[in-house]
């Protein structure tokens, strides 16, 4: 088997409209397709990330809360590459998103930081 690339990442949200606004308006991801699945009482929104990747945003009635602290086994966080972490942090703060202090990766010497999505999913910004 040969894996070519990551096709998509799926995120379940507790407040669909709030998360949709966050991922589209604040993060700037482009909606590709949105469907309501009656049998699941659930929305599914496909979001494009730079024409290469997709994030699927799902709503389900009463999803379980994601454990963050202590961290649980499984997917740890979602990371986006940016050209300038300091500029990205300023942008996020201007949109009332609480961002952690910028740190430097001791292995790569690249700047990075984290902020939560509306459900507390850690999102990392990593400088190119």
């Amino acid at each position: 088997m040969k894996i070519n690339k990551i096709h998509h990442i799926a995120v379940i949200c507790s407040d669909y409209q709030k998360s949709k606004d966050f991922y589209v308006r604040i993060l700037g991801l482009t909606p590709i397709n949105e469907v309501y699945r009656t049998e699941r009482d659930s929305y599914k929104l496909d979001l494009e990330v730079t024409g290469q990747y997709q994030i699927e945003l799902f709503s389900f009635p009463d999803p379980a809360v994601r454990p963050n602290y202590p961290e649980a086994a499984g997917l740890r966080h979602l990371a986006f590459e940016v050209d300038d972490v300091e500029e990205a942090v300023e942008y996020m703060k201007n949109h009332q998103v609480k961002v952690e202090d910028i740190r430097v990766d001791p292995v790569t010497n690249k700047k990075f930081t984290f902020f939560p999505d509306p459900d507390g999913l850690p999102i990392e910004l990593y400088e190119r």
Side-chain angles (χ1 to χ4, degrees), residues 21-124:
D21 179 67
F22 179 81
Y23 281 89
V24 173
R25 185 177 61 82
I26 296 176
L27 294 186
L29 305 184
T30 304
I32 301 169
N33 189 42
E34 182 177 39
V35 296
Y36 179 75
R37 302 169 310 163
T38 305
E39 72 283 0
R40 296 180 133 190
D41 189 21
S42 169
Y43 281 96
K44 177 182 179 275
L45 175 63
D46 297 325
L47 299 164
E48 179 184 85
V49 184
T50 68
Q52 287 188 305
Y53 307 102
Q54 288 183 32
I55 292 180
E56 295 178 342
L57 192 61
F58 288 93
S59 70
F60 291 110
D62 303 313
V65 175
R66 180 184 192 273
N68 282 330
Y69 300 101
E71 290 184 289
L75 182 64
R76 187 173 189 189
H77 63 265
L78 178 60
F80 293 110
E81 178 185 281
V82 296
D83 290 330
D84 185 328
V85 166
E86 291 171 357
E87 180 181 293
V89 164
E90 189 65 30
Y91 172 85
M92 297 304 288
K93 287 181 178 179
N94 288 338
H95 286 85
Q96 288 70 52
V97 176
K98 186 176 178 182
V99 182
E100 293 180 7
D101 292 338
I102 295 173
R103 294 177 271 170
V104 176
D105 184 317
V107 175
T108 65
N109 288 322
K110 302 286 185 169
K111 295 177 190 175
F112 70 98
T113 190
F114 285 89
F115 60 90
D117 85 346
D119 285 302
L121 173 67
I123 298 178
E124 180 180 7

